[in-house]
Amino acid sequence: MSIFERYGCKQVINASGKMTALGASAVHKDVAAAVAEAAMDYVDISELMVQAGKVIAEVTGAEDGCPTTGAAGGIAISVAAVIAGTSLSLIERIPLTDGLRNEIIIQKGHSVHFGASIPQMIAIGGGKVVEVGQANHVEKDHIAEAVTDKTAALLYVKSHHAVQKGMQSIETMAAIAKDKGIPLIVDAAAEEDFRKYVAMGVEIVVYSGGKALEGPTSGFICGRADLMVACRAQYKGVGRPMKIGKEGIIGLLTALRRYDNRPDESQQQRERMEWLIAELKDVPGVKGAITQDEAGRAIYRAQLTIDAKAAGKTAYELIKELESGSPAVYTRNHYSNLGIISVDPRPLLEGQERVIAQRIKEILQA
């Protein structure tokens, strides 16, 4: 029995991805041990925050860093930092920023919902959202012409949730930001390359610590030194209700330290998905294929297209039965309206693809 079952929760097989709603990641034993050790001791949190910034800088190539509760908190803190800086009187005003330089420009196709909305995270940080262009088409001039003396920063969302076509690139936004003398914030929550955007000259980059990094529930910001000092200063204001504790910081730093030395499991993960597709090839109404992640990451999932007439059930019905079973199986369902469900190999524990195959057979061959 798992620790969650002891508290009355159902057993879950996460085939959806590094999803916050399912607990993001199952951490490595070394990370878990570090969290436990930190939980049983004391530290000066302000000192730990500074030292954490040094580790984040070392791993990302940035000048400095700031730990957070997650990428969502990182967006709010980053926005507050570009508006209030290190001024305590301004920090204590956030999110009430009327009269301040508080506008955050975002492409309309990036104004998305990820479990909460990007505009709400900006607003929590005191930002006034300025959406530019259309949901499927943004030109460089849309962004450049929106910059005024009220603009605090540009924000780019690198996510599978965002519109992938018709948007301007990070490079374009970085060039505009440089030309206008304002910072660019990149929300790179689930991205795997922690050095890429800093190397491009982006001033503020926000990551999740519980997704690609496979750390505990946490996140971090990295970038220009003065802005990272400002980010840490927000814990005297809006950052207080979203503060990260000693355990989360140490778990984050432990995961960062081991990140570059993790074994590459991508080939093994792909082989597990190929096995799953082969195992289901004779199930009526199920057609399997390997597909790459929508945002271009080196993640390959098993995509299962359900022919409702041949299978006897729609994709929605299959999803419902998978989630209501024991164990509950959560698949990746962004395209379920097209009859498609996907299985993400990254969060699967050993042998769970076999359980998934068996459950699908039981449901569709009943």
Side-chain angles (χ1 to χ4, degrees):
M1 179 180 289
S2 75
I3 192 168
F4 300 113
E5 289 177 283
R6 292 178 215 164
Y7 288 92
C9 298
K10 59 190 175 185
Q11 182 186 358
V12 165
I13 291 179
N14 178 8
S16 180
K18 304 297 180 67
M19 309 299 287
T20 299
L22 296 175
S25 292
V27 304
H28 187 271
K29 62 182 181 180
D30 292 347
V31 176
V35 169
E37 184 177 349
M40 295 184 287
D41 206 346
Y42 300 94
V43 68
D44 181 327
I45 294 293
S46 61
E47 181 182 9
L48 179 59
M49 292 286 287
V50 172
Q51 295 303 318
K54 294 178 180 179
V55 175
I56 292 168
E58 175 189 328
V59 173
T60 63
E63 294 178 1
D64 199 355
C66 174
T68 67
T69 52
I75 294 171
I77 288 171
S78 297
V79 169
V82 298
I83 296 171
T86 57
S87 168
L88 184 57
S89 60
L90 295 184
I91 288 169
E92 292 178 342
R93 278 184 58 180
I94 302 290
L96 306 176
T97 60
D98 288 348
L100 300 180
R101 189 177 183 179
N102 65 354
E103 292 183 355
I104 306 296
I105 296 173
I106 183 172
Q107 300 182 71
K108 192 175 287 291
H110 288 189
S111 186
V112 296
H113 192 279
F114 60 93
S117 76
I118 292 289
Q120 185 176 31
M121 299 306 104
I122 294 170
I124 289 171
K128 179 181 177 182
V129 180
V130 177
E131 294 181 358
V132 296
Q134 288 75 44
N136 64 342
H137 180 77
V138 179
E139 296 191 20
K140 180 178 179 180
D141 285 348
H142 283 132
I143 303 168
E145 291 172 3
V147 177
T148 70
D149 59 1
K150 289 289 188 180
T151 304
L154 308 183
L155 174 62
Y156 186 99
V157 179
K158 177 64 176 175
S159 169
H160 68 274
H161 293 294
V163 174
Q164 302 299 314
K165 294 181 179 180
M167 298 297 104
Q168 291 297 309
S169 67
I170 293 177
E171 289 84 354
T172 296
M173 291 195 79
I176 294 171
K178 183 177 181 180
D179 180 60
K180 301 292 186 179
I182 53 177
L184 169 63
I185 302 169
V186 171
D187 170 17
E191 290 297 287
E192 298 177 320
D193 189 336
F194 298 144
R195 305 183 74 90
K196 178 179 179 179
Y197 303 114
V198 168
M200 289 170 55
V202 176
E203 291 89 348
I204 303 177
V205 191
V206 180
Y207 291 97
S208 170
K211 294 187 176 176
L213 183 61
E214 296 183 353
T217 300
S218 60
F220 63 95
I221 311 167
C222 56
R224 207 173 76 199
D226 62 315
L227 292 172
M228 295 305 102
V229 171
C231 284
R232 293 197 295 268
Q234 304 313 307
Y235 284 104
K236 294 181 179 180
V238 73
R240 181 71 177 185
M242 59 184 80
K243 65 181 183 292
I244 181 170
K246 59 188 179 182
E247 305 89 352
I249 295 173
I250 291 299
L252 170 69
L253 300 185
T254 304
L256 281 167
R257 288 285 198 199
R258 68 179 300 274
Y259 186 73
D260 288 335
N261 296 319
R262 294 185 311 160
D264 181 1
E265 298 178 342
S266 58
Q267 183 58 35
Q268 179 190 27
Q269 290 171 354
R270 181 165 184 156
E271 289 171 359
R272 293 170 74 183
M273 294 300 93
E274 289 171 347
W275 177 91
L276 177 66
I277 289 170
E279 189 70 9
L280 296 173
K281 67 181 176 63
D282 295 327
V283 177
V286 179
K287 181 180 179 180
I290 299 293
T291 59
Q292 188 176 1
D293 176 68
E294 304 95 321
R297 295 173 294 174
I299 302 168
Y300 297 90
R301 303 183 178 96
Q303 179 178 283
L304 306 177
T305 302
I306 309 302
D307 180 337
K309 185 175 180 180
K313 292 184 185 294
T314 65
Y316 288 123
E317 290 169 331
L318 176 57
I319 290 165
K320 184 176 180 179
E321 291 199 40
L322 285 170
E323 292 181 359
S324 62
S326 181
V329 177
Y330 287 85
T331 50
R332 193 175 185 88
N333 305 322
H334 300 311
Y335 301 106
S336 55
N337 62 311
L338 302 177
I340 295 171
I341 65 174
S342 296
V343 174
D344 192 317
R346 296 171 301 154
L348 293 181
L349 304 181
E350 186 176 355
Q352 288 185 335
E353 70 275 12
R354 298 182 179 275
V355 179
I356 294 170
Q358 185 60 35
R359 289 282 294 117
I360 291 175
K361 288 180 182 178
E362 289 171 355
I363 294 168
L364 295 183
Q365 295 179 343

